[in-house]
Amino acid sequence: MPTSTDKKANHLIDEKSPYLLQHAYNPVDWYPWDEEAFAKATREDKPIFLSIGYSTCHWCHVMEEESFEDEEVAELLNQHFVSIKVDREERPDVDNIYMKVCQALTGRGGWPLTVVMTPDKEPFFAGTYFPKESRMGRPGLLEILRGIQSAWQEDRSALLQSSSEIMEVIKKRERFNPQAELSTEELEDLVERAYQGFKGTFDSEYGGFGSAPKFPLAHNLLFLMRYWKSTADQEALDLVTKTLDSMYAGGIYDHLGYGFARYSTDRKWLVPHFEKMLYDNALLAIAYLEAYQITDDDTYAQVAEEILTYVSRDMTSTTGGFYSAEDADSEGVEGKFYVWTPAEIKEVLGEEEGEEFCRYYDITEEGNFEGKSIPNLIGQEFNKTEVDDKFKEAREKLFAAREERVHPDKDDKILTGWNGLMIAAMALGARVLDKGRYQQLAQQASDFIWDNLYQDRLLARYRAGEAAYLAYVDDYAFLVWGLLELYQTTFNPEYLKRALLLNDELLENFWDDEAGGLYFYGEDGEELITRPKEVYDGAMPSGNSVATLNFLKLAKLTGDNKLEKKVEEQIRFFGNQINKNPTAYSYFLLSILSTQVDNREVVIVTEQQQEDIEAMLEILRANFMPFTTQLVKTKENEEQLLEVVPFLADYQALEGQTAAYICQDFTCQAPITDLEKLKKQLIVDN
């Protein structure tokens, strides 16, 4: 980031966002998204030039270097426009709305997102990356800006008409007018159609779905694992394991430092855009952990542990929160930190060991990425444990050597929603892998969010001592998810209490009492040109999808039937939209699937025998039981637990012995004290 005294700072200099600060010394007179910028545009009768991106985005860096650092571009923008920079991770509400504009106008989206609009925030032009000058059939930014500036002065009515038409299209899309409620048969068919859709687009050679580019989209795998659980269709599980195996073998996985990059540019999972996002690694850790529970294959446990090791080592603040992302670029070159030549490998490992490593990990003279090589195991027949044992010391040496390189920048802001996802992953990792360290990390992050980002109302972002922005639906939904996983790991009622409190606030501030569904931002948030309800499960599951499953889990845990009715309302409201393309709503389908199978509640009650509790819980932790919720009542937690789960007052230990109560399909069985009987009951019925 330029800081030399010969460069004048613009209006971004006092912001906290690393992305905005990257642009604070551009010659473009950037403003943050605030009233000052819009008032200036109104006063000076200028259109708004809106640029949205994020700090670890490669093409955002390219456009900055080509255009926003360029004096000619800056002069044109400063003279005829008011320029606003937005960090999409701080303002996903703004990004969500204007990305839909771009998709409506161009049929595609992405970042950097480029929008031109009136001072009233109504857009009339949108696109993504533009070079400074026109080339290869792509219009240049200078040409676009000059054309818009001319039209603003000479034919503004045409621009305003275009804006009006765009706004009508967007608002029409935001108007959910559910037709007749889907029948039971149609709802069941949604799940089956989604499965068939995934089968139809599955890449049998390299795993994943569709062709390049390929995104991990772990929630698709979570759906397939639950589909397998409910149907015993082995092919559904095969789709999952092939994809997980292929992603791990590919260059999208960092074989030296661990963790996954955001997506692969090719079909093989070989060449990623190298940025690493917290949310991807959280969701993928969950997918690998669940695959381990199902298959008992140590490979999946090891990959999950490596992901969590990466996050704890490189993405965890000293205060407990998790950082957002690592950049794709270092020294201005994409992927430079991650790629190798044979000579570099042999310099670290020596000739003989280096030769063997290069042969195994595809490090060649010609390279597989711009003349250098991304380590990968594609096409290798390997056992991960054997490979790890064989190359353990070599990988450690290479990792140490790589640490001496110039590191990619890190986006060290702490986002509430993404932390919720990683809290869920860490909590699940703690109980599946029996690693207390992960439980500690999940608890530290949860406490950090609660202490720093909950101030009468949940906030969305923390950085450099400042918490800001009213939390969005995703923040509430993802954090409740994390708290529920943390409760199922620790059985500390405090986490369940926090989840319920946040869920109540979510319904109070985001729920549409008239039609149903959760708005993207709260009724106390900034009023934008539309107030969308997002249910599409993109790179992450939507807030509506996650919240719906949370409602179901909380209803089962607390006995609150009102929350079950909210699930029904969500399915009724969004059902017809999901019906158009079920595979695009895979996480929402988890709730629909959960309403179609027998759910089970297990309550363990003890007076003092901690060993008995652990033995019973081990049965639950060792097996994949996505349709089972667990509660534990002890003498120590009873008073606090009954505040939120009053029906547990009647559940008691049996003649002093620890007892497990199993309820399924609205029927509760006699309490079980015998461990083998409990194991048989759970596994057979599971």
Side-chain angles (χ1 to χ4, degrees):
M1 177 188 314
T3 56
S4 57
T5 55
D6 61 332
K7 290 194 175 185
K8 181 183 177 183
N10 55 47
H11 295 84
L12 301 180
I13 192 62
D14 294 323
E15 294 298 305
K16 300 296 185 183
S17 158
Y19 176 65
L20 298 187
L21 291 172
Q22 285 172 357
H23 294 267
Y25 287 91
N26 291 165
V28 176
D29 188 20
W30 292 114
Y31 283 78
W33 180 282
D34 61 16
E35 285 307 312
E36 182 182 358
F38 292 105
K40 175 181 171 67
T42 300
R43 186 173 63 250
E44 298 180 4
D45 191 30
K46 292 178 178 178
I48 299 283
F49 177 83
L50 173 65
S51 178
I52 303 176
Y54 58 102
S55 72
T56 58
C57 164
H58 170 69
W59 285 103
C60 298
H61 298 325
V62 173
M63 193 164 177
E64 178 188 19
E65 183 178 346
E66 288 181 346
S67 295
F68 302 143
E69 287 282 358
D70 182 83
E71 295 291 345
E72 186 179 8
V73 173
E75 182 180 0
L76 182 55
L77 283 171
N78 295 344
Q79 184 174 352
H80 298 292
F81 298 82
V82 173
S83 301
I84 294 178
K85 261 285 172 194
V86 167
D87 182 339
R88 65 172 293 260
E89 295 165 0
E90 286 191 335
R91 294 301 305 263
D93 53 342
V94 174
D95 177 63
N96 178 282
I97 290 169
Y98 291 103
M99 183 60 72
K100 287 179 180 175
V101 170
C102 182
Q103 291 166 339
L105 284 173
T106 69
R108 59 189 295 271
W111 299 276
L113 176 59
T114 303
V115 178
V116 187
M117 59 189 183
T118 71
D120 294 326
K121 306 175 185 175
E122 297 192 345
F124 52 81
F125 174 87
T128 54
Y129 161 78
F130 295 103
K132 177 188 173 184
E133 306 281 359
S134 302
R135 66 170 184 259
M136 305 288 290
R138 180 181 287 270
L141 186 60
L142 283 174
E143 176 188 338
I144 291 167
L145 293 175
R146 286 171 181 147
I148 291 173
Q149 188 269 327
S150 175
W152 184 260
Q153 296 297 326
E154 299 170 14
D155 192 11
R156 188 175 306 186
S157 61
L159 292 181
L160 296 179
Q161 178 63 27
S162 173
S163 175
S164 177
E165 291 170 359
I166 293 167
M167 288 303 304
E168 183 55 36
V169 169
I170 297 302
K171 289 179 179 179
K172 185 176 180 180
R173 291 184 178 184
E174 298 296 353
R175 291 187 205 114
F176 284 88
N177 294 310
Q179 305 301 314
E181 183 179 347
L182 295 182
S183 67
T184 301
E185 292 76 16
E186 286 173 318
L187 286 172
E188 290 176 353
D189 193 44
L190 279 182
V191 172
E192 183 61 30
R193 283 172 53 213
Y195 173 51
Q196 295 301 328
F198 285 123
K199 281 176 62 176
T201 59
F202 182 67
D203 183 340
S204 59
E205 186 174 2
Y206 293 108
F209 306 94
S211 56
K214 279 185 176 174
F215 289 79
L217 302 182
H219 40 285
N220 293 345
L221 306 180
L222 303 187
F223 165 77
L224 289 167
M225 285 187 276
R226 282 153 184 77
Y227 181 89
W228 165 82
K229 186 69 174 178
S230 66
T231 64
D233 186 328
Q234 181 61 37
E235 190 174 358
L237 184 58
D238 292 343
L239 304 184
V240 174
T241 55
K242 175 65 176 178
T243 300
L244 292 176
D245 293 344
S246 299
M247 287 194 299
Y248 166 72
I252 191 175
Y253 188 71
D254 181 355
H255 291 270
L256 299 182
Y258 312 144
F260 282 89
R262 193 166 74 92
Y263 69 95
S264 175
T265 62
D266 64 285
R267 180 185 164 206
K268 297 181 179 182
W269 305 104
L270 173 61
V271 179
H273 268 315
F274 292 85
E275 66 263 37
K276 293 179 181 177
M277 315 302 291
L278 185 69
Y279 62 80
D280 279 325
N281 284 286
L283 293 166
L284 284 165
I286 292 169
Y288 278 96
L289 288 165
E290 291 188 348
Y292 171 60
Q293 285 181 306
I294 293 170
T295 65
D296 204 31
D297 184 337
D298 287 340
T299 292
Y300 301 132
Q302 291 165 9
V303 175
E305 190 161 357
E306 288 177 359
I307 294 170
L308 300 181
T309 296
Y310 157 68
V311 172
S312 63
R313 182 191 66 221
D314 292 345
M315 301 297 287
T316 304
S317 73
T318 56
T319 52
F322 300 116
Y323 298 139
S324 295
E326 286 194 300
D327 208 328
D329 300 8
S330 55
E331 300 180 82
V333 179
E334 184 184 16
K336 183 174 183 179
F337 181 74
Y338 296 100
V339 296
W340 297 81
T341 64
E344 289 170 333
I345 296 290
K346 292 172 185 177
E347 183 179 350
V348 176
L349 300 181
E351 187 68 30
E352 184 176 341
E353 188 178 23
E355 185 70 36
E356 186 176 25
F357 186 92
C358 288
R359 185 168 61 252
Y360 224 90
Y361 281 91
D362 189 31
I363 313 297
T364 63
E365 293 294 343
E366 60 272 20
N368 53 38
F369 177 71
E370 297 182 359
K372 293 195 173 185
S373 295
I374 305 165
N376 72 90
L377 294 167
I378 297 171
Q380 294 276 16
E381 291 293 332
F382 67 91
N383 174 285
K384 178 167 168 52
T385 301
E386 293 174 0
V387 172
D388 284 353
D389 290 345
K390 183 179 183 66
F391 292 108
K392 183 176 185 294
E393 289 187 12
R395 288 165 66 188
E396 289 174 352
K397 289 177 185 176
L398 290 168
F399 175 75
R402 197 179 75 175
E403 284 293 281
E404 299 300 315
R405 296 177 175 178
V406 176
H407 281 242
D409 287 338
K410 188 174 298 181
D411 189 326
D412 60 356
K413 66 177 180 288
I414 294 168
L415 296 171
T416 297
W418 298 9
N419 270 252
L421 296 177
M422 188 52 72
I423 289 167
M426 288 285 181
L428 182 63
R431 65 177 186 265
V432 172
L433 303 175
D434 194 23
K435 298 283 186 178
R437 169 67 174 151
Y438 301 143
Q439 178 179 318
Q440 182 184 11
L441 287 166
Q443 289 175 304
Q444 286 175 352
S446 171
D447 289 343
F448 177 86
I449 298 295
W450 206 253
D451 292 341
N452 294 279
L453 282 145
Y454 188 80
Q455 300 173 8
D456 297 323
R457 165 81 148 83
L458 192 64
L459 300 175
R461 185 270 287 150
Y462 179 93
R463 186 174 187 271
E466 179 191 83
Y469 305 108
L470 293 175
Y472 310 99
V473 63
D474 291 9
D475 297 301
Y476 275 92
F478 295 172
L479 184 55
V480 170
W481 181 5
L483 289 168
L484 288 175
E485 291 293 344
L486 196 46
Y487 171 72
Q488 300 272 269
T489 297
T490 66
F491 295 103
N492 181 343
E494 179 62 26
Y495 298 121
L496 186 54
K497 288 178 67 176
R498 291 178 183 179
L500 284 165
L501 184 152
L502 291 173
N503 199 67
D504 287 345
E505 285 189 10
L506 174 66
L507 290 170
E508 180 182 350
N509 289 297
F510 294 80
W511 184 259
D512 183 346
D513 291 320
E514 293 183 6
L518 294 160
Y519 289 110
F520 195 92
Y521 59 89
E523 63 181 9
D524 53 350
E526 178 187 350
E527 185 176 350
L528 300 173
I529 55 174
T530 65
R531 194 177 176 204
K533 296 173 187 172
E534 186 62 73
V535 68
Y536 168 71
D537 296 321
M540 290 179 283
S542 71
N544 268 292
S545 295
V546 174
T548 305
L549 192 58
N550 290 343
F551 296 159
L552 195 58
K553 290 178 180 177
L554 285 167
K556 299 298 182 186
L557 286 166
T558 66
D560 186 348
N561 291 331
K562 293 193 297 294
L563 289 175
E564 285 194 335
K565 290 179 180 177
K566 282 286 182 280
V567 175
E568 295 171 5
E569 291 177 50
Q570 287 283 80
I571 293 172
R572 182 165 57 248
F573 182 75
F574 290 113
N576 278 289
Q577 181 179 350
I578 295 168
N579 192 38
K580 296 174 184 176
N581 183 18
T583 56
Y585 307 94
S586 60
Y587 198 93
F588 194 96
L589 290 176
L590 302 189
S591 296
I592 294 177
L593 181 57
S594 293
T595 64
Q596 297 172 357
V597 301
D598 287 339
N599 286 265
R600 182 173 54 188
E601 298 83 49
V602 178
V603 179
I604 299 174
V605 186
T606 189
E607 291 183 351
Q608 55 187 9
Q609 299 97 327
Q610 188 64 32
E611 288 184 3
D612 290 348
I613 296 177
E614 289 301 319
M616 288 184 172
L617 289 176
E618 179 56 34
I619 299 170
L620 293 163
R621 290 167 174 165
N623 293 279
F624 181 60
M625 299 183 182
F627 308 117
T628 298
T629 53
Q630 304 110 45
L631 290 156
V632 171
K633 187 174 84 167
T634 67
K635 287 291 184 183
E636 290 75 19
N637 75 15
E638 182 174 5
E639 182 178 352
Q640 190 178 15
L641 184 60
L642 292 180
E643 292 177 15
V644 289
V645 194
F647 75 80
L648 287 184
D650 296 332
Y651 288 71
Q652 303 295 330
L654 204 63
E655 298 178 352
Q657 289 185 286
T658 298
Y661 295 77
I662 301 176
C663 298
Q664 184 170 334
D665 195 22
F666 306 103
T667 304
C668 293
Q669 302 170 15
I672 300 171
T673 57
D674 181 76
L675 203 60
E676 288 303 314
K677 185 177 179 182
L678 175 66
K679 185 174 184 179
K680 182 179 179 182
Q681 186 78 48
L682 287 173
I683 302 305
V684 169
D685 288 348
N686 187 52

